Amino acid sequence: MARGGLRQVGEIDGPLEDRLDQAFDRTVAEGEQRLGRSFRDILITGAVAGMEVSFGVLALLAVQRATHSPLLAGLAFSVGFLALLLGHSELFTEGFLIPVTTVVAQRATVTQLAKLWLGTLVANLVGGWFITWLLMTGYPDLHATAVTSAKHFATAPFSARSVALAVIAGAAITLMTRMQHGTDSMAGKIAATIAGAFLLAGLQMFHSILDSLLIFSALHGQAPFGYADWARWFSYTVVGNLLGGVLLVTVLRLLRSSDRLQQERSNDQP
């Protein structure tokens, strides 16, 4: 019976390792494609993502106004993340697991990673600012809700709690990316997307892009705070997102794939 048990474990472990290898290969292949794009393509993709996720903010505000429930509003925000998934655009905070893995596997350079991060970040904010202006112009009845919701972020003091919420947000969205790339099932990808949106928006974590668009919506609606307050909040939130996404999720994933990383590096050597 012991030997039969061992054979059963081996039968389970083999396919599991195959699935992990397949997920790793998909990650590196996608990372090469994303990091190999021109700066123009990065800016366009990032601007589209900022525009698309803004509709998630609209859904969040509408449900928040109707129900006064952050949890239900967080579920409604999944509209924005589903648009990103199905439209193949990307947020800055989705650029941790896949591109960093590709760079560590020596299939891309740190310069390419910096270009992707900078271009996507700026384009997300610009595209999102424009669409939130349109949305708040079209839905003036949501101004008060936008101001109330955005206050949680724009007026938050720099504290251990604020930094923790930023770090957790970076880890949560990177975990969402990891789950999406761990399956070939579209239903599984959609489930991971909705779960990620619920965590980030429903629990009001500090997400540098999502909550910037919420703050922009409030600013378009004559909020009692200004862009200086946003910049102060954004400056530490974006760093916290990076730390959470890279150190808490990506590094651990790389440690688990250390053997495959070594193989990739060996394959690149003459």
Side-chain angles (χ1 to χ4, degrees):
M1 294 179 61
R3 290 182 180 180
L6 288 174
R7 281 197 297 271
Q8 290 176 0
V9 170
E11 290 169 1
I12 295 173
D13 287 346
L16 175 60
E17 290 302 320
D18 289 344
R19 290 196 297 271
L20 290 174
D21 286 346
Q22 290 169 4
F24 179 87
D25 291 339
R26 282 197 301 268
T27 297
V28 173
E30 181 177 336
E32 280 190 288
Q33 186 273 325
R34 287 167 61 176
L35 289 164
R37 290 173 298 169
S38 67
F39 196 58
R40 172 180 173 276
D41 288 343
I42 289 173
L43 291 176
I44 292 173
T45 302
V48 169
M51 294 176 182
E52 290 175 343
V53 81
S54 295
F55 288 95
V57 173
L58 174 63
L60 181 152
L61 291 174
V63 172
Q64 177 70 32
R65 180 173 181 266
T67 67
H68 304 289
S69 169
L71 296 179
L72 291 177
L75 284 176
F77 173 75
S78 61
V79 169
F81 277 1
L82 286 171
L84 296 178
L85 173 69
L86 301 177
H88 302 287
S89 51
E90 61 187 296
L91 294 181
F92 161 72
T93 47
E94 292 181 293
F96 300 153
L97 176 64
I98 296 171
V100 170
T101 300
T102 307
V103 171
V104 174
Q106 298 182 349
R107 300 285 288 272
T109 66
V110 174
T111 300
Q112 287 175 301
L113 178 63
K115 182 179 71 172
L116 175 69
W117 279 356
L118 177 61
T120 303
L121 177 61
V122 172
N124 285 167
L125 294 173
V126 172
W129 184 95
F130 175 68
I131 294 298
T132 52
W133 171 73
L134 281 179
L135 295 176
M136 290 301 99
T137 301
Y139 293 93
D141 55 320
L142 292 178
H143 286 183
T145 304
V147 170
T148 300
S149 299
K151 267 186 177 181
H152 172 71
F153 309 100
T155 63
F158 178 70
S159 64
R161 178 175 182 267
S162 297
V163 172
L165 288 174
V167 171
I168 294 169
I173 194 167
T174 306
L175 177 61
M176 182 187 78
T177 303
R178 179 178 173 181
M179 289 190 294
Q180 289 172 340
H181 286 79
T183 178
D184 291 322
S185 165
M186 181 53 69
K189 293 178 186 291
I190 290 174
T193 300
I194 295 173
F198 174 76
L199 287 174
L200 286 163
L203 299 182
Q204 297 180 307
M205 297 178 185
F206 282 18
H207 185 274
S208 55
I209 304 300
L210 158 61
D211 299 323
S212 286
L213 302 189
L214 189 58
I215 293 172
F216 292 162
S217 299
L219 290 170
H220 296 319
Q222 300 180 337
F225 44 82
Y227 284 98
D229 297 300
W230 164 75
R232 176 194 57 80
W233 171 86
F234 181 81
S235 64
Y236 68 80
T237 298
V238 70
V239 175
N241 289 171
L242 271 167
L243 292 176
V246 174
L247 295 183
L248 295 186
V249 179
T250 302
V251 168
L252 294 178
R253 181 69 178 85
L254 292 174
L255 289 173
R256 189 177 186 184
S257 303
S258 58
D259 291 340
R260 289 292 289 115
L261 284 169
Q262 187 60 43
Q263 290 177 13
E264 287 291 329
R265 292 168 177 168
S266 299
N267 291 338
D268 288 339
Q269 293 177 0

